[in-house]
Amino acid sequence: MDRAERSRTQLLVVDDDSAMRDFLSESLMDEGYRVDVAAGGRAGIERVRAGGVDLVVTDVKMPDMDGLDMLAEIRAPAGGDVNPPHVVVITAFGSIETAKRALELGADDYITKPFEIDDLLVAVEKALDERTLRREVARLRKEVARPYRFENIIGKSAPMQDVFALIRRLSGSSANVLITGESGTGKELVARALHFNSPRAKKPFVAVNCAAIPDTLLESELFGYKRGAFTDARTDHAGQFVEADGGTLFLDEIGDLPPQLQAKLLRVLQERELRPLGAARAEKVDVRVLSATNRDLAQRTSEGA
């Protein structure tokens, strides 16, 4: 982080010791940061709630409110801030218990008194780098999702408006969905719209073309395998269901799935669990399955396929 970036970064120093408070704030301002101060935990919470704070440096032992209690309140979802400030904790006690508790409550780092100011500066810089990275990840997720918003799917006819209405209804559902249509009609675009407009949007979207993978490999690709399950299985392989855990698995060309795999897929859909090749027991997965086909599945069924 260069000095220009630091000048746009708001820090808050919370300490009931005025001498330590002044030392910390002056040291951080010398590095180019904008710094506010608070003389205790309650004042610190009020300043954070006023908004604009990127990172808090706080002592633990304060008379009006313990620094860890303040940390817990800052990091609590009930605080209303979906992107709360990062926190570096300073403690004079140096106990493993205090440090562990601070990290459990959401602190990014802790510094033990006595400390060199460079140690604090490194901790602050590291926490702010993490904040920047998270913001960039959030931005990229929005960029990825943008093409799959409804307004970016072309189609103004009445049938397409019916499709959009159905996507909106299904986006908030956990129901598995089968998308049918001729090749080139945008079935995967609909699947991605369902995912990126759903509560699972921040989780993986994994697409598998069932027609493009040889039948002999498709089972291990979908369900994974354990080391030693077959000759070339030198390590565990998670499989696409596990890769999509928490998110959405899109099975394109589902009409080409071999019958023996259809039974295994049915179990996953019904029981929400799968058994990798060579595994002794099944494992739970939380996956929404979207499928697509250009085949006439009723005809395929009548043919025994």
Side-chain angles (χ1 to χ4, degrees):
M1 182 177 288
D2 59 28
R3 200 168 184 84
E5 290 175 301
R6 289 175 183 170
S7 70
R8 297 189 295 269
T9 303
Q10 181 66 62
L11 307 188
L12 174 65
V13 172
V14 184
D15 201 311
D16 63 308
D17 184 329
S18 60
M20 177 60 74
R21 193 168 63 240
D22 291 344
F23 168 69
L24 293 174
S25 62
E26 289 172 6
S27 298
L28 291 166
M29 283 190 288
D30 286 344
E31 295 297 313
Y33 295 109
R34 290 187 294 156
V35 183
D36 284 345
V37 296
R42 298 193 187 282
I45 289 173
E46 289 180 7
R47 175 62 188 87
V48 168
R49 287 179 176 169
V53 176
D54 296 298
L55 182 138
V56 176
V57 177
T58 182
D59 195 14
V60 169
K61 196 69 173 179
M62 294 181 289
D64 71 327
M65 175 182 263
D66 184 278
L68 296 186
D69 291 336
M70 184 190 74
L71 167 63
E73 193 152 340
I74 288 173
R75 302 297 296 183
D81 188 352
V82 295
N83 192 22
H86 286 246
V87 180
V88 174
V89 170
I90 299 175
T91 174
F93 305 100
S95 70
I96 296 298
E97 291 75 17
T98 302
K100 182 179 178 182
R101 179 64 176 152
L103 296 175
E104 287 174 347
L105 290 171
D108 293 89
D109 210 341
Y110 67 93
I111 303 293
T112 304
K113 296 179 183 176
F115 60 88
E116 297 290 335
I117 191 63
D118 284 348
D119 295 336
L120 176 63
L121 295 176
V122 168
V124 167
E125 186 87 4
K126 185 173 70 172
L128 290 171
D129 284 346
E130 174 71 14
R131 185 175 179 83
T132 300
L133 180 61
R134 289 182 184 179
R135 285 176 171 171
E136 180 65 10
V137 168
R139 184 190 69 78
L140 290 172
R141 279 177 173 158
K142 289 180 181 179
E143 288 295 321
V144 169
R146 184 172 289 118
Y148 308 109
R149 293 174 183 166
F150 301 119
E151 61 268 24
N152 290 319
I153 302 178
I154 298 172
K156 294 183 179 180
S157 65
M160 282 304 298
Q161 294 307 311
D162 291 341
V163 170
F164 295 153
L166 189 54
I167 292 173
R168 288 188 181 93
R169 284 172 50 200
L170 289 170
S171 290
S173 168
S174 60
N176 300 317
V177 178
L178 173 66
I179 305 162
T180 62
E182 297 174 359
S183 296
T185 52
K187 297 186 291 297
E188 182 169 346
L189 193 62
V190 170
R192 289 181 181 272
L194 282 168
H195 171 75
F196 285 109
N197 291 280
S198 79
R200 295 176 179 264
K202 293 184 178 180
K203 298 295 184 178
F205 177 91
V206 178
V208 179
N209 187 334
C210 297
I213 303 173
D215 293 355
T216 53
L217 299 178
L218 191 54
E219 180 176 1
S220 60
E221 185 65 22
L222 289 176
F223 305 115
Y225 55 80
K226 295 296 182 181
R227 179 182 178 184
F230 48 86
T231 303
D232 292 328
R234 297 184 177 88
T235 60
D236 290 353
H237 174 66
Q240 300 295 354
F241 268 97
V242 174
E243 290 291 332
D245 193 38
T248 301
L249 179 65
F250 175 54
L251 299 177
D252 198 8
E253 305 298 348
I254 192 71
D256 293 293
L257 195 70
Q260 67 271 20
L261 287 188
Q262 294 177 27
K264 294 193 174 185
L265 175 60
L266 177 62
R267 179 167 182 82
V268 177
L269 296 176
Q270 290 179 328
E271 307 297 332
R272 299 292 177 182
E273 65 179 27
L274 58 84
R275 180 174 294 184
L277 290 171
R281 59 176 62 89
E283 51 190 73
K284 291 289 185 181
V285 288
D286 173 23
V287 175
R288 186 187 194 187
V289 177
L290 307 179
S291 302
T293 183
N294 60 3
R295 300 267 196 163
D296 183 336
L297 295 187
Q299 180 180 344
R300 294 276 289 167
T301 302
S302 66
E303 295 170 352

